[in-house]
Amino acid sequence: MTSAHSLINATPIEKQNLYNKFEINEETQRLAYHYDVDSEFFIKVTGGAWNTYSCSIFKPGDSMTQAQERKLDIFAQLMGLSPGKRILDIGCGWGGPLTYLCHKYGVTGVGLTVTPAQIPYASTRAASYKVSADFIESHWENFHDEKGFDAIFTDEVVVHVHNFNDFFKKCHSLLRPKGVVVNKELHLTQERFKDWSDGLGVHVNKVYGFTGNYRLLEEEIDFGLSNGFYLKNIVPVAMKHYQETVGNHWVKNLKWHESELKRLTSEEHFNDFYKYLRCTMVSFRHDVFRQHMLVFQKNGES
Ligand SMILES: C[S@@+](CC[C@H](N)C(=O)[O-])C[C@H]1O[C@@H](n2cnc3c(N)ncnc32)[C@H](O)[C@@H]1O
């Protein structure tokens, strides 16, 4: 059993709800429980050309690749991308989003992840498109950079960020003048949904190694505003897109590749993951979440 499994299984009941603070090393180990499996597992589950492990945005008849690109094009527009700009992807997954943006918009970039298995996959992908994208194994809190970024984007990562104040401070320090942060995330619709102590909530948070930190939309706005940013834009993303992403793609991919995915991980891991996707579908039906893309710009700059 890996140290991540031991940690998760030994997590006391009072730490099984949302909003736990862990030291960076422990948080990284806990995140490994979900993310640090053979990359082929997530590549097969997510599908499409860019393997985004986050909600895609569909128009009727779209393939998964088209829906992934539609979402990434919205990120590009909100970041104001143009050739030569330098961008940072915090929580870069398997490198699809950053590679696509560098390839289509002529930007260069850096992607951060705490998951070592993602780096070779992401780097090979970037090399095959001949783009300048560097993928680095680093917790965002430990990342340092001298050159500065024109924009930072992050897609369904801040659920794992406990100290959101420090996150915005770090983004502020990494951005050039007029720089923006574009964050896409699910937001709880009501305060009462912060209680994740039931079976469904505990299962989803266990899959995250108990690093879950979902918040209300207004809480995220407050964190941004109190750390040197103004709110430039909010783009809602309808939850029907997440129902389609999970229900019509990820669950079907999981079943389609069942024997291979079990071989790549384990029967137990496969069953836990399947249960996790079904739990998320229940939460979508019960209106627990909305999702938004928020654009924050450094204060005093237009
Ligand atoms: C849900 S996945 C989203 C991946 C990607 N943004 C996408 O949309 O395909 C979350 C990613 O965030 C990374 N991550 C989680 N916590 C992190 C941290 N503290 N620092 C850097 N990356 C982190 C994980 O390794 C994983 O790659």
Side-chain angles (χ1 to χ4, degrees), residues 24 27-28 31 34-36 42 46 50-55 71-72 75 89-97 112-116 118 136-141 153-161 167 184 208 211 242 250 276:
I24 292 182
E27 190 175 282
T28 303
L31 287 161
H34 186 47
Y35 294 108
D36 208 10
F42 280 102
T46 53
W50 305 105
N51 304 106
T52 49
Y53 184 39
S54 47
C55 176
K71 189 256 301 268
L72 294 171
F75 265 113
D89 180 4
I90 300 183
C92 60
W94 295 265
L112 302 185
T113 177
V114 285
T115 310
Q118 294 170 349
I136 299 175
E137 184 188 335
S138 172
H139 192 290
W140 60 266
E141 225 172 326
F153 74 107
T154 181
D155 193 352
E156 297 185 34
V157 179
V158 299
V159 54
H160 302 304
V161 173
F167 180 84
K184 176 174 150 290
Y208 298 158
T211 66
Y242 226 144
W250 295 354
Y276 152 68

